Amino acid sequence: MTAQAAETGDLVAVIGLEVHVQLETATKVFCGCSTETAEEPNTNTCPVCLGLPGALPVLNEGAVEAAVKVGKAIDATIPEETTFHRKNYYYPDLPKNFQITQYDAPICQNGELEFSVAGDRRSVTIRRAHLEEDPGSLRHVREGAGGLESRTVSIERADYTLVDYNRAGTPLMEIVTEPDFRDPAEVRAFLEKLEEVLEYLGVFDPGRDGSLRIDANLSIVPAADVNDDGSIDDAVLEEANRTEVKNISSHKGAEKALSFERSRQKKLVESGRAVEQETRHFNETHGNTVSMRSKEEEKDYRYFREADLPPLRVSDWKEQLDIPELPDARRDRFAAEYGLSEEAASKLTSTKQVADFFEDVATEFDPELAATWVADNLLGELNYRDMAVTDIEDRLDEVTRLVELVATEEITAKNAHETVLRTMLDEGIDPDTVVEREDLGKTDGDEVAAAVTEAIAENPDAVEDYHAGEDGAINFLVGQVMQKTGGSADPGDVNQLLREELES
Ligand code: ADP
Ligand code: ZN
Ligand code: MG
C-alpha cells in the first residue's frame, strides 16, 4: 500500500489468528507420561518426550479423538488420511530439535465458527486445525542478592534459565483462521465462543495455566480495498505487511494487544512510513507490543515427513465419534423449550456446567424460577464477587436447596436472594443454616394479618392519603408491615391484604 492511498481514505485492520489449544488427555501425545501438572520439574518425562536417541513416538488415540471432535464441531473437512511432519528448529525447550506437527494433510481443514459480537452474528473461516506436540517450558531466573531468594524474571534480566520438560509432548491443537476479523472486539468474541465450544466437547480445561495461547496477525489496508461483501482480495492481503504478535494468553489480552498494534500500524501508515513484517511480543503488564525478530518463513523450518509415524486413517473415528449438543443448538432449544428470552438462553448456555445446572433445576422445579435463579440471581451475585460457577461447583446442591425453599414458599424470594444467597457466597454456609440464623422462615398468615391491622391503626395519615388516591401511601403501609414481620412476609400478599382491609 502506498502512503498516498492511505492519505486519501480510511484504513481498515485485517486480523487472522493462530490459536494453540492444549487438549485434555490423561497422557501425552506421543508417550505414556502424565499430563497432570506436577510439583517437581522434569518428573513427568521419559525417553520419548526427552528426545533421547532411539526413542520412538506412539500416537495417543485420545488426542486424535479430541481433534476429530473439534473438527466436527467447527464443521471442518476431515480427510480419510492424515500425516505428521517434523518442523525443525533449535530451542532449549525442544529436546529433539524438531517438533512433530502436521503440514500438508492436517486433521481438519476449512471449518467455520459462528459467534456474535455486539448483537451481530459473525462467522469466521477456519483454514486448518492440526495436531502437534507442546514444547517444554523455560524459567528465567535472577539470582537473589544479599540473602534474598532468587526469582523468575524476563529473559533480559535473567542470570540463568531453567528448563522443565513436564509440558513437552502435551497434545496441542493449532487452529488457524483466515484473516476474516476486522476488529479486536471480534477477536475477543470469537475466542470466547471457541473456548465455550471446546469446553462443551470436554477436550479443554480453560482453568489450566497456558491452556490457550494466541498468535495474532494484523495488517492495515485502505478501506477502499474492501469489497462490498466485506471480503478482501488475496492479492491485497499478500501485499499488506503484517505483524505477528506472540505471547497472548487470554481473550482480553488478545483484544488489548491488537488494539495497540492497530493504532501503532495506523500511525506508521498515516505518516507515510512502512510497517515492518515482523514478530512482536505482547507485554501484558504494559499493554504494548515490542519487536522480537523478523518473521521466520516456512522454508526456514525444513519441514519433512515424520518417518516414525505412519499415515493415520481417520475415517473410522470420523464416522463413530459423536459430539454433544453445542452452545448454539442448546441456546435455541432452551429458548424454544423453556420459553426463555434470547439473552437469558445465551447466558444459561455460556458454559456447559451452567447449562446442565439450569436444566437440573428447571426439571426439578419450574423453568421460569430456574431461569431467574440461575441466570439472574446466581450469575449476577457471582459476577459481582468476581467469581464463576466453577468456584462453587461442589456447592450447587446448596443452591438447588435454596431454590426449593423458595419454590415451597418457606422463605420469600427477596430474602432468599438478598440474605440467604449473599450470605451463602460471602460466608460459605448452607441455606438452611442461614435461614435459621437470620430467622427468615415465612411468617404465618395470622401474624401478617395482625401486622396489617396494626399498621392501618397506627398510621391514620397514610390511610387518609390512600383514600385521597395518593399512590405512595400503600407502599408506605407495605413497608410498615414488612418491618413488623421482619421482612419475612411476601410484599405482594401484604399489598393485597392492605387493599382488601382498606376497602372493606
Ligand atoms: P505464513 O505462511 O506466513 O504463516 P499464513 O498465510 O499461513 O502465513 O497465515 C498465517 C496467519 O496470518 C493466518 O492466521 C492468517 O489468517 C493471517 N494472515 C494472513 N494474511 C494476513 C493479513 N494480510 N493481515 C493479517 N493477518 C493475515
Ligand atoms: Zn514421556
Ligand atoms: Mg503459517
Side-chain angles (χ1 to χ4, degrees):
M1 180 190 3
T2 62
Q4 205 171 4
E7 277 164 25
T8 52
D10 289 341
L11 300 168
V12 173
V14 176
I15 303 165
L17 303 179
E18 293 154 289
V19 185
H20 297 85
V21 173
Q22 280 186 347
L23 296 175
E24 278 287 290
T25 52
T27 55
K28 294 184 180 181
V29 60
F30 299 121
C31 62
C33 290
S34 168
T35 52
E36 285 286 312
T37 316
E39 286 277 315
E40 284 291 307
N42 298 304
T43 46
N44 288 342
T45 54
C46 74
V48 174
C49 55
L50 289 175
L52 301 189
L56 294 174
V58 177
L59 181 60
N60 178 349
E61 200 174 329
V64 179
E65 265 183 38
V68 169
K69 284 185 186 167
V70 173
K72 286 194 155 190
I74 58 172
D75 236 336
T77 305
I78 298 170
E80 291 286 293
E81 198 172 276
T82 185
T83 55
F84 292 89
H85 272 68
R86 292 184 179 185
K87 179 180 183 178
N88 298 280
Y89 65 98
Y90 170 77
Y91 206 63
D93 63 6
L94 193 70
K96 300 193 296 294
N97 286 349
F98 62 83
Q99 177 192 33
I100 304 181
T101 180
Q102 300 197 282
Y103 184 55
D104 52 2
I107 193 159
C108 304
Q109 291 172 54
N110 201 20
E112 189 187 19
L113 189 69
E114 266 192 42
F115 58 99
S116 42
V117 54
D120 280 341
R121 294 299 285 169
R122 293 271 291 117
S123 166
V124 158
T125 299
I126 291 168
R127 183 186 291 174
R128 56 183 282 144
H130 66 251
L131 259 178
E132 61 185 28
E133 57 180 336
D134 211 351
S137 46
L138 300 178
R139 193 159 80 81
H140 309 297
V141 184
R142 186 164 182 89
E143 205 85 79
L148 288 175
E149 270 192 46
S150 58
R151 64 212 155 88
T152 305
V153 293
S154 66
I155 189 165
E156 309 85 47
R157 313 201 47 232
D159 291 318
Y160 59 87
T161 294
L162 299 170
V163 62
D164 177 6
Y165 293 116
N166 282 343
R167 198 182 72 179
T170 300
L172 283 188
M173 199 157 194
E174 178 174 338
I175 300 168
V176 183
T177 76
E178 289 293 342
D180 289 348
F181 302 96
R182 300 288 175 265
D183 192 281
E186 288 175 1
V187 169
R188 182 168 176 178
F190 168 87
L191 291 169
E192 275 162 12
K193 182 60 178 291
L194 178 65
E195 260 202 33
E196 237 173 79
V197 169
L198 295 168
E199 238 191 298
Y200 263 72
L201 295 173
V203 302
F204 175 71
D205 175 7
R208 195 179 169 118
D209 213 26
S211 58
L212 184 84
R213 306 194 302 269
I214 305 137
D215 299 342
N217 301 270
L218 185 142
S219 65
I220 296 285
V221 303
D225 284 352
V226 180
N227 303 322
D228 288 343
D229 64 357
S231 66
I232 300 175
D233 295 344
D234 285 349
V236 175
L237 292 174
E238 264 156 49
E239 203 208 335
N241 270 2
R242 66 174 192 265
T243 59
E244 179 175 3
V245 183
K246 298 216 177 247
N247 186 44
I248 308 175
S249 57
S250 68
H251 312 158
K252 229 195 225 163
E255 189 177 21
K256 221 158 124 186
L258 286 165
S259 299
F260 177 88
E261 196 52 24
R262 175 174 62 185
S263 47
R264 190 188 69 86
Q265 288 191 23
K266 268 194 178 169
K267 272 185 215 143
L268 285 174
V269 174
E270 277 161 0
S271 61
R273 282 174 291 167
V275 171
E276 292 293 331
Q277 182 121 331
E278 63 182 357
T279 302
R280 298 178 69 87
H281 177 91
F282 174 51
N283 186 320
E284 181 106 49
T285 327
H286 298 124
N288 65 358
T289 69
V290 291
S291 178
M292 267 169 88
R293 55 173 187 256
S294 65
K295 193 173 159 35
E296 67 287 347
E297 286 180 53
E298 198 170 284
K299 65 174 177 359
D300 299 331
Y301 289 119
R302 291 294 187 268
Y303 280 94
F304 60 85
R305 273 288 304 280
E306 169 54 274
D308 291 335
L309 289 167
L312 177 75
R313 289 197 64 80
V314 256
S315 19
D316 289 353
W317 269 289
K318 197 167 100 180
E319 271 159 38
Q320 286 156 20
L321 280 177
D322 285 325
I323 56 169
E325 186 181 35
L326 294 175
D328 282 356
R330 202 164 190 191
R331 183 197 60 225
D332 294 347
R333 180 170 64 79
F334 274 17
E337 197 172 317
Y338 301 115
L340 301 176
S341 70
E342 173 88 18
E343 196 200 339
S346 292
K347 258 196 206 171
L348 289 169
T349 48
S350 61
T351 73
K352 188 165 184 295
Q353 195 173 35
V354 171
D356 288 345
F357 180 57
F358 163 76
E359 285 218 281
D360 285 349
V361 179
T363 332
E364 197 169 336
F365 305 106
D366 157 77
E368 212 181 305
L369 191 66
T372 306
W373 270 88
V374 182
D376 300 339
N377 302 353
L378 180 62
L379 293 182
E381 294 296 333
L382 284 173
N383 193 32
Y384 179 75
R385 289 165 179 74
D386 238 339
M387 288 166 76
V389 173
T390 41
D391 295 322
I392 56 151
E393 60 191 354
D394 45 2
R395 296 181 65 204
L396 287 177
D397 52 339
E398 290 181 19
V399 181
T400 311
R401 169 66 183 149
L402 176 56
V403 178
E404 185 181 21
L405 289 170
V406 178
T408 52
E409 300 192 356
E410 283 164 67
I411 56 176
T412 66
K414 190 172 187 301
N415 281 336
H417 179 187
E418 292 173 9
T419 308
V420 186
L421 180 60
R422 288 176 186 168
T423 311
M424 279 170 68
L425 295 177
D426 291 336
E427 299 179 31
I429 45 184
D430 71 275
D432 288 295
T433 307
V434 184
V435 169
E436 204 179 299
R437 193 183 78 183
E438 306 291 325
D439 194 18
L440 298 174
K442 240 190 191 173
T443 322
D444 64 31
D446 291 349
E447 219 181 301
V448 178
V452 165
T453 313
E454 243 178 72
I456 290 174
E458 284 168 12
N459 297 285
D461 289 354
V463 172
E464 201 172 303
D465 289 348
Y466 171 81
H467 288 300
E470 223 174 275
D471 281 347
I474 191 84
N475 293 335
F476 172 78
L477 289 168
V478 171
Q480 294 301 303
V481 177
M482 293 306 289
Q483 229 171 49
K484 288 179 187 296
T485 56
S488 59
D490 182 278
D493 291 351
V494 172
N495 192 306
Q496 179 83 18
L497 281 171
L498 276 166
R499 283 177 198 279
E500 278 166 17
E501 190 145 341
L502 287 164
E503 297 298 336
S504 65

